[in-house]
Each structure stands twice: as structure tokens, then as C-alpha cells.
Amino acid sequence: MISVDSISVIHGGKPLFSEVSFSINETDKIALMGKNGAGKSTMLKIIAGLSKPSKGGVSAPKDAVIAYLPQHLLTADDCSVMEETSKAFAAYLSMQKEIEALNEELTVRTDYDSDGYYKIIERVSELSEKFYAIEEVNYEAEVEKVLLGLGFERKDFTRPTSEFSGGWRMRIELAKILLQKPDLILLDEPTNHLDIESIQWLEEFLTQKAKAVVVISHDRAFVDNITTRTIEVTMGRIYDYKAKYSHYLELRKERREQQQKQYDEQQKMIADNMQFIERFKGTYSKTLQVQSRVKMLEKLDIVEVDEVDNSALRLRFPPAPRSGKYPVIVEELTKTYGDHVVFKNASMTIERGQKIAFVGKNGEGKSTMVKAIMGQIDFQGKCELAHNTHIGYFAQNQASLLDESMTIFDTIDQLAVGEIRTKIKDLLGAFMFGGEESAKKVKVLSGGEKTRLALIKLLLEPVNLLILDEPTNHLDMKTKDIIKDALKAFDGTLILVSHDRDFLDGLVTKVFEFGNKRVKEHFEDINGFLRDKKLENLREVERK
């Protein structure tokens, strides 16, 4: 259906990728994978027609509708949620308006034999053919269905978009894309601002109703549930697997092992020939053989082994100072904003060393509870921290607070004090900012690279209570696994606000669910919580 033809991109004087080609078929569900900075978002923008490659191009059928959802966006603030979402049908309504205007013009014109009159007739015929070929749609019902699926309530439909956070505006834009029923949907980190229920709704939509999909996502479970093909961008080229992400990982491991074997064999062959050349280069009887081997080595294509960032696997948080037995005690805590009750009479006790998750729909109070624990807001009730509790905090917008005019090295250098100053280069290397990378300006970094840089700040001083609010947004799979392993080994207390099921799996042992103005404690891991949640939802459906 859509063909990417030998595209090359030069970025900062270096090739991002070269001579890349692949096709996207009508029902393909493709995961576009690769480490942060490999060029995934650039590839999506080129397919969407928003960026041009240095060489090559993208071809698509004339009437193909390609819809693109970028990582960061803001919808307009001049209308309601319903009005903004209904803009998905703008092209259809514009076509209808133009047909009506042209027909009106035909009724008043009398120059029936003129070229202008015939051109109007041709235009009306062309538009009418397209217009009446489109299935008649009940716009309002379609808009409502999609908005409800993405977590909006009916009372939200008339609210101005300016009242919503960036995450909710992203959902409005996603709703507009889904309503266009495009031939190809391009999604760059679509789950970053979605709660678990909305992610499950989006999965069902993409697998059952969408045509072709190309998605960049750090959510392993989401990618595995919706895709059947994986394209990896690495070292300026791509590898195309007819397999979902988890199977692709196994195939990639086999590929790299084979590459390493071929590389080792080739290096041995080169060493043997170099030894022969050195030994006999002055021997007359061996001149032809020496020359032949020199020419053979000059023409040799050196086997490349795809990059593996083993340096990052050493990442560890500093030892946590010992805190009191219960770092956080919350009793009968209530938070309201005017007449709006966020939650009422919430209680929780978090023990030293526990790793717990805050989950629930957006807007139900997860980040609000974090702010209460941090002492950043007023509330009714009790919230106490134990003796010697030192908090390390990562907020959702942490990456956007970085000074873009500074280099990576200077960003960390100005914050580091004491012994850690001697280890800045090692720390940056562990987060894949080693060598020349540390001299890059923050403004040229991808979203994932900025998040990694913001996370380094948590390592600059020992803490015993880590509070992380959506830390995996914009992180690639490999970096996410590295952070997860480091958190598993962290010997302090962890509070994790996240919608990322795969990240929470095997990391947290208790779940606090936020919803319906209350906080419910679940003494189980994330998989147990989801199993229970599914049963509850089924009972609710039966009652309805």
C-alpha cells in the first residue's frame, strides 16, 4: 500500500539512516523499535509527509489517508472538547459546503457554453463522486463513542479544551485521528498519557477496527498485544521481522550471535592473511600470492556486529540511608479543590523497603497524593514521614525543566557535589551519554534522551524514598529495562505512579488503586490486581 523507497537522512553531519526501504501493507500492524536517538520519530514524520529525507522518498496511493500522532502536541483552546473532536470530519463537511456553493453558482449563471461553466460542472461531479461514496455517519454518536472509550465523561464534552492537561488534550487529538478512519495510523508513544483502561480500549480499537498501524511505544505489553511485525532501526539501517516484539527479541539475539560468529571468523582470516603478507612480502617466489592477498583484503566488506549498550547494564542507585520503619503514614486524608473532591478519608501505611504502585484513571488523585506526601499542597487529615526520610522525586514534566542551552555534561556537573564529581563520566556512560555524546546540547536530544538525563539527577545524592511519577514516558525498551533492574536492586522505599503494566510487573508487590474519590489497597502484584479488576468490570457489565 505505502512504500518507503531508499530513504537516507543526514543529521548533524552524520547519517541517521541510509538507503532504507520497506513497504506497509493494508492490514500491517508494525512496531518501530530501536534505542532513543536511532531515528524512529524522524522515520514516522517522513512517512507522514511532515519531514523530507535527504535522499529517497515515500510513495502512497493518491487517496490514502495517513494520520499521525506525535509525542508532544497541544490542541487549540478556542472551543469545547466536542467541537475540537468534531474537526475530524472537517474535510467531509468542507466538501459538502463546496458542493452546495458550486450548485448555487450553477443556478444563477447563464453562460452555459463557457469553459468556466463546464469546469464548475466537472468539479461538482468530481466532488459528488467522492462525497456520496463515503458511508453516511452519525457524527455526534461516533464522536461520543470514541471520547467515552478514551476516558472522557459526558459532562466533559462541553468543557473548553483549555481546562484539560496536555495528556487529556493528547487524547482529543487521538480521538480525531481514530474518527478519520485512516488507511494508515502513525502513533509515537500513544500510551504516555493514557491510564490502563484507556490503553486496553485503544488496543481493542487498533486490533479490531484500524487498518494499517505503525507504532513507536515503550509499553511492551501494548506493543505485543497490537503488532504482528517489528521493524528495528539500528546503526543507520533496518531489520524487518514478521514477528511481534517478544519473538523479535529472540530472533535479534540469534542474529547478533550469528553476526559475532561471522565477525570473529573474518577477523581470524584477516589476521592469518596479514601474517602471511608480513612474512613473505620480500620473498620473490611469493610475490603473486602476497599481491593477491593484499587486493583481497582491500576489497573485503567488514562484517558489522549491531550495537549492544552493555555499559548501561552496570547502573545502580547509591545505597539508601536507613529511615524509620514506616517512611509514609497517611490517615483519613481528604483533598478538595473547591467543590471538587479528589479523594476522601484515604489511608495508607508504607513500610521501609516496600515497592508499591499508584494506579488508576487520570484525574483520580495519584499525583495529588504524591504532592501531599511531598508537602507541596494543603489537605485535611494526617500525612507523616518517618525520621531520616530523604525523598528523591521524578515528576512527569521533569525532562521539560532542563536548560536546553547547556550540554549534557554541564547539566550534571553543576549539580554534582562531593565524591560523585569524580564519577560524572562513568555515570553519563551508564546512561549511554559516554564519549562525544556528553558534549551534546540538551536542545538536540530526543524525548527519551532528555528523560534519561533527568533521571541521572536522582543518582547524585543518596535517598531512601524514591517517588517516580510516570518515569518511563519516552524511554525506549532497553533503557526502561535498565531502569527497572536498577529499581529492583534499590534498597530503599519506592512509590511508582505508572500505567506501564510491563514496567510494574516483577517490580512492585502492592498496589494502591485510586478511583471514585477513594484509595483502595491491594495486597498483590500488578498482575493480580488486573485479574481482579477484570472480574469486577465483568460483574458491572452483568448488573447493567
Side-chain angles (χ1 to χ4, degrees):
M1 182 183 77
I2 293 167
S3 178
V4 175
D5 305 314
S6 300
I7 64 169
S8 299
V9 172
I10 307 297
H11 184 69
K14 295 181 180 179
L16 193 59
F17 35 75
S18 33
E19 299 292 330
V20 168
S21 298
F22 61 92
S23 60
I24 303 169
N25 302 307
E26 288 186 11
T27 57
D28 275 346
K29 303 291 191 294
I30 301 171
L32 191 62
M33 310 306 296
K35 71 173 191 175
N36 289 130
K40 303 186 298 296
S41 293
T42 301
M43 180 77 76
L44 277 200
K45 287 176 186 173
I46 290 171
I47 298 171
L50 299 175
S51 295
K52 290 193 176 296
S54 308
K55 181 183 173 186
V58 177
S59 57
K62 184 180 177 182
D63 296 329
V65 177
I66 299 176
Y68 168 62
L69 180 77
Q71 281 189 38
H72 308 285
L73 54 87
L74 287 176
T75 54
D77 283 337
D78 58 352
C79 55
S80 69
V81 171
M82 175 64 80
E83 290 166 342
E84 180 65 34
T85 310
S86 296
K87 289 179 182 179
F89 300 104
Y92 180 89
L93 297 174
S94 173
M95 200 185 305
Q96 185 181 42
K97 193 174 180 180
E98 187 179 352
I99 290 171
E100 289 171 356
L102 290 171
N103 280 325
E104 180 68 23
E105 187 175 350
L106 286 174
T107 62
V108 297
R109 288 181 67 148
T110 56
D111 53 336
Y112 307 121
D113 295 326
S114 68
D115 289 342
Y117 195 87
Y118 279 113
K119 282 182 179 176
I120 293 174
I121 290 175
E122 287 175 3
R123 178 63 177 160
V124 169
S125 299
E126 179 190 349
L127 286 173
S128 296
E129 187 178 345
K130 287 182 181 178
F131 184 79
Y132 292 111
I134 300 171
E135 185 181 343
E136 190 173 344
V137 176
N138 182 339
Y139 307 129
E140 197 167 304
E142 288 292 311
V143 169
E144 285 190 7
K145 186 163 60 176
V146 171
L147 287 175
L148 290 170
L150 285 170
F152 289 92
E153 297 179 17
R154 290 189 186 280
K155 64 184 180 183
D156 296 326
F157 294 173
T158 54
R159 289 172 60 192
T161 58
S162 57
E163 291 185 6
F164 292 85
S165 67
W168 282 99
R169 296 186 198 189
M170 190 278 289
R171 296 188 195 204
I172 296 171
E173 202 65 21
L174 180 57
K176 286 158 64 178
I177 284 175
L178 300 181
L179 285 164
Q180 292 174 45
K181 298 183 179 176
D183 299 288
L184 172 61
I185 301 177
L186 306 171
L187 302 172
D188 196 346
E189 302 288 5
T191 66
N192 277 353
H193 300 286
L194 298 183
D195 53 45
I196 289 173
E197 285 189 358
S198 296
I199 292 172
Q200 290 170 338
W201 180 90
L202 181 59
E203 284 177 1
E204 185 176 345
F205 183 95
L206 293 175
T207 53
Q208 296 185 15
K209 296 183 181 178
K211 296 178 184 175
V213 177
V214 180
V215 61
I216 299 170
S217 178
H218 65 268
D219 187 330
R220 193 189 312 252
F222 175 75
V223 169
D224 255 352
N225 287 342
I226 68 165
T227 64
T228 54
R229 180 178 167 195
T230 304
I231 295 178
E232 179 190 12
V233 183
T234 178
M235 295 176 68
R237 56 179 179 263
I238 65 161
Y239 290 95
D240 195 344
Y241 296 87
K242 301 295 187 289
K244 61 174 57 183
Y245 180 75
S246 53
H247 187 207
Y248 139 79
L249 287 178
E250 299 170 13
L251 296 173
R252 184 183 65 175
K253 183 181 178 184
E254 293 172 8
R255 183 189 85 218
R256 285 182 173 157
E257 288 173 351
Q258 187 63 29
Q259 285 177 338
Q260 188 65 53
K261 182 180 177 183
Q262 291 171 353
Y263 176 82
D264 292 341
E265 290 173 353
Q266 188 183 63
Q267 289 298 308
K268 183 178 184 305
M269 181 272 289
I270 291 171
D272 290 344
N273 278 283
M274 289 297 294
Q275 187 179 11
F276 180 90
I277 292 166
E278 285 298 315
R279 183 178 177 187
F280 296 111
K281 63 183 177 182
T283 305
Y284 180 76
S285 62
K286 301 282 189 181
T287 299
L288 290 177
Q289 292 182 52
V290 168
Q291 290 176 345
S292 174
R293 296 193 184 205
V294 168
K295 288 180 181 177
M296 183 268 291
L297 291 178
E298 287 174 349
K299 294 178 180 178
L300 196 64
D301 287 329
I302 302 299
V303 172
E304 287 185 307
V305 180
D306 290 334
E307 57 197 345
V308 181
D309 298 305
N310 290 321
S311 60
L313 301 177
R314 299 194 302 267
L315 177 62
R316 287 291 180 269
F317 285 93
R322 189 173 177 84
S323 69
K325 187 173 181 182
Y326 301 103
V328 179
I329 297 177
V330 173
E331 292 179 359
E332 302 295 315
L333 195 147
T334 297
K335 178 59 186 174
T336 58
Y337 290 101
D339 294 332
H340 176 62
V341 179
V342 183
F343 45 70
K344 191 173 183 180
N345 298 328
S347 296
M348 64 175 68
T349 301
I350 300 173
E351 291 185 38
R352 181 177 61 232
Q354 274 190 330
K355 294 180 171 63
I356 63 112
F358 287 177
V359 304
K361 289 183 180 179
N362 294 119
E364 294 286 358
K366 303 186 298 294
S367 295
T368 302
M369 180 63 79
V370 167
K371 289 175 183 175
I373 294 170
M374 297 281 294
Q376 295 178 347
I377 58 172
D378 296 325
F379 53 82
Q380 295 172 298
K382 172 183 171 184
C383 180
E384 289 185 352
L385 300 182
H387 169 70
N388 201 36
T389 297
H390 301 287
I391 297 177
Y393 176 51
F394 180 90
Q396 286 188 47
N397 65 338
Q398 206 78 34
S400 65
L401 302 178
L402 296 169
D403 184 343
E404 296 207 330
S405 66
M406 299 184 72
T407 66
I408 293 171
F409 184 87
D410 291 340
T411 299
I412 301 305
D413 186 49
Q414 72 166 2
L415 295 171
V417 293
E419 185 185 348
I420 194 71
R421 289 187 61 81
T422 64
K423 299 178 181 177
I424 291 178
K425 287 188 176 180
D426 291 339
L427 190 59
L428 290 173
F431 271 86
M432 292 160 280
F433 290 129
E436 296 177 1
E437 291 288 307
S438 66
K440 276 186 177 179
K441 294 274 190 184
V442 171
K443 64 183 177 184
V444 304
L445 301 181
S446 68
E449 289 169 324
K450 287 180 180 177
T451 298
R452 286 210 310 266
L453 185 58
L455 281 168
I456 294 176
K457 293 183 177 183
L458 289 177
L459 301 175
L460 295 179
E461 56 181 300
V463 299
N464 49 29
L465 174 58
L466 269 177
I467 303 177
L468 308 182
D469 195 348
E470 303 289 7
T472 63
N473 284 0
H474 312 302
L475 290 183
D476 60 55
M477 297 275 193
K478 182 170 183 61
T479 308
K480 192 177 72 169
D481 286 343
I482 292 161
I483 300 295
K484 182 175 177 178
D485 287 342
L487 290 173
K488 281 182 179 178
F490 175 59
D491 57 357
T493 308
L494 174 66
I495 297 174
L496 194 54
V497 181
S498 180
H499 61 262
D500 190 330
R501 293 161 292 174
D502 181 67
F503 189 72
L504 295 173
D505 184 21
L507 180 56
V508 300
T509 55
K510 185 190 283 190
V511 175
F512 285 97
E513 180 188 6
F514 288 70
N516 300 319
K517 300 177 174 51
R518 51 196 286 262
V519 181
K520 183 179 179 183
E521 188 171 9
H522 297 260
F523 295 91
E524 54 199 346
D525 63 12
I526 191 64
N527 289 321
F529 164 74
L530 284 176
R531 282 194 298 272
D532 289 350
K533 191 174 179 63
K534 190 172 182 181
L535 286 172
E536 287 172 10
N537 284 345
L538 283 173
R539 285 198 294 271
E540 287 169 8
V541 169
E542 288 167 1
R543 281 200 297 272
K544 290 178 184 177

